[in-house]
Amino acid sequence: MKLTIFFRLALGYFAVILVTGSVSAYSVFNLDKLYEEAKGIVTIDERILDLKTKLSNTILSQLGHQKKFILTADSVFYSQFLSAEKDFSVGLKQATALADTPTKREILGQISVLEKQLSAIMYGEIEAKRADPNYPKEEYDTKKDDLVGKILDNLKLLADTSMKDAYERMHTMGLAADSARKMALYMFAVAIVLIIGISYMSTRSIIKPLRTVSAKTNEISQGIFEGNLAITSPPEIAELGRAVNAMCQKLKEVDIMKADFFSAMSHELRTPLTSIKQGVSLLRSGYVTPISAKQERLLDILAQETHRLIEMVNSLLDLSKMEAGMMTYDFHETNLVSLIRQVTTEMAPLLETKKLTTHVECDESTPLLRLDRERILQAIRNLVGNAVKFSPDGGHIDIACSRKEHSIEFSIKDTGPGIPKENLGTIFEKFQQLSANTPKWGKGTGLGLSLVKHIIVAHGGRVWAESQLGQGCTFIFALPLS
């Protein structure tokens, strides 16, 4: 029988009240003589056991963060490694202060020596990696694992010693107490175990499926629509799980329909738009019939708008391919700086039209990268074009390219109106535009930045924006070194 949430909670509360009442009946006994021994268990042995667990987790965390830093060279992991090292030192000092026997102090002294040896090896490995990427990693790993194993063994020995001391104190308490007090202690221990057990059993069956549903909703918010929830109990949450699965199926169907629609419409629109463009070109050339100046101006507008529509259709088609994982990339060793120079040269007429000044600062010695030349050009053109759109007439654009440790970083800063902080996380999503305070010439399709993100991510890089309202915006992408 699958119990409802209400019945589970009611049954658990009833059991807890029953056990608590039984324990309370024995709590009236005088336990003054047992105070000192009980204090030793609570303030020394139990505390040492807690510190043992903390120290075990901390040393493993320290090792894990160091290994991640070795692999990624991410300063975040190095900071976490230092923090874990500090936490271990603090915990070891606390345990040493609590140690009330020579055995415990001796064990803690051995742990301190082993930890210093481990830290020396970890720092040594970091320096070795910086000096030579082909350093003997396996040798360092063996030494680290051996020392961590010894530390954990000593921590277990410390815990066993503390447990033994706790048992001896409890034995002393049992010998000192009369039968009534022994019974009170026994009932108290049973009550604690039962309360924890009942609370755990009654809430686990509720919290666990709720966490599963919560995790699924997070996946849905990230665009993952796999309806794979398999919850059978409690009935209320099982029903919620089935509803979430049904919602995922519908969202998946809508997402597929959307992608198919964009792809189909892009293909269908491209041909007639190309025909229109060619027709407008023939009319402008006077091939059909001579045209007046007014007609020429109208045809110029038609040509510009047709070109804009074709670019939009091409962007939609490219984005559909990228989202479907069908975009092919042709990677070759390429100089990123040369691509930047090419784009700035192409954009020169547009920059002159708006009287924009540009400053390009690129390190010509940057190494070659494995890139798809045309796709990276597309990304740079979109970012430069975006800066031109949002910079006012007479504004300034700064373009930079330099090496940053294990990557090459490109940045472009404009003097436009800037982007609100709350929008910086969404501007790389398709069809995301800022309508407020956006000049007429700044309107676009909302696809350019989404294309940039797909292209950079496909190259193993990352892209982001930094901005403050009224102070322009800086777009940055970083590509990993081969």
Side-chain angles (χ1 to χ4, degrees), residues 380-401:
I380 297 174
R381 287 184 186 117
N382 278 332
L383 291 176
V384 175
N386 199 60
V388 172
K389 285 181 184 179
F390 285 90
S391 293
D393 290 354
H396 185 76
I397 295 175
D398 289 316
I399 299 174
C401 177

Side-chain angles (χ1 to χ4, degrees), residues 277-414:
K277 180 181 179 180
Q278 293 299 325
V280 171
S281 297
L282 289 173
L283 289 173
R284 292 174 67 193
S285 67
Y287 178 78
V288 178
T289 182
I291 58 174
S292 64
K294 183 176 182 180
Q295 289 172 330
E296 185 174 359
R297 287 195 299 272
L298 290 175
L299 290 173
D300 286 340
I301 295 172
L302 285 174
Q304 293 172 6
E305 293 302 310
T306 302
H307 179 71
R308 190 171 69 88
L309 282 174
I310 291 174
E311 286 188 340
M312 183 189 302
V313 170
N314 289 334
S315 296
L316 278 171
L317 187 57
D318 285 344
L319 191 58
S320 297
K321 289 181 180 179
M322 291 176 184
E323 290 182 337
M326 298 172 62
M327 178 63 72
T328 57
Y329 292 88
D330 186 16
F331 292 97
H332 294 285
E333 296 288 337
T334 306
N335 188 331
L336 182 62
V337 175
S338 67
L339 302 185
I340 297 170
R341 300 290 186 190
Q342 179 177 334
V343 172
T344 54
T345 301
E346 293 173 357
M347 293 285 184
L350 187 57
L351 294 168
E352 292 176 3
T353 300
K354 295 193 64 178
K355 300 179 181 178
L356 297 174
T357 58
T358 59
H359 176 69
V360 181
E361 184 176 349
C362 292
D363 184 356
E364 300 292 344
S365 64
T366 54
L368 299 178
L369 298 173
R370 283 188 58 79
L371 306 174
D372 183 315
R373 178 185 179 86
E374 293 305 318
R375 292 303 166 192
I376 293 297
L377 279 173
Q378 184 180 12
I380 297 174
R381 287 184 186 117
N382 278 332
L383 291 176
V384 175
N386 199 60
V388 172
K389 285 181 184 179
F390 285 90
S391 293
D393 290 354
H396 185 76
I397 295 175
D398 289 316
I399 299 174
C401 177
S402 61
R403 179 169 181 168
K404 303 288 185 180
E405 293 186 356
H406 301 288
S407 65
I408 301 298
E409 191 171 286
F410 166 87
S411 67
I412 178 166
K413 176 177 175 59
D414 60 50

Side-chain angles (χ1 to χ4, degrees), residues 389-390 417-418 433-444:
K389 285 181 184 179
F390 285 90
Q433 290 181 288
L434 302 176
S435 58
N437 300 321
T438 302
K440 183 176 181 180
W441 45 260
K443 301 296 184 181

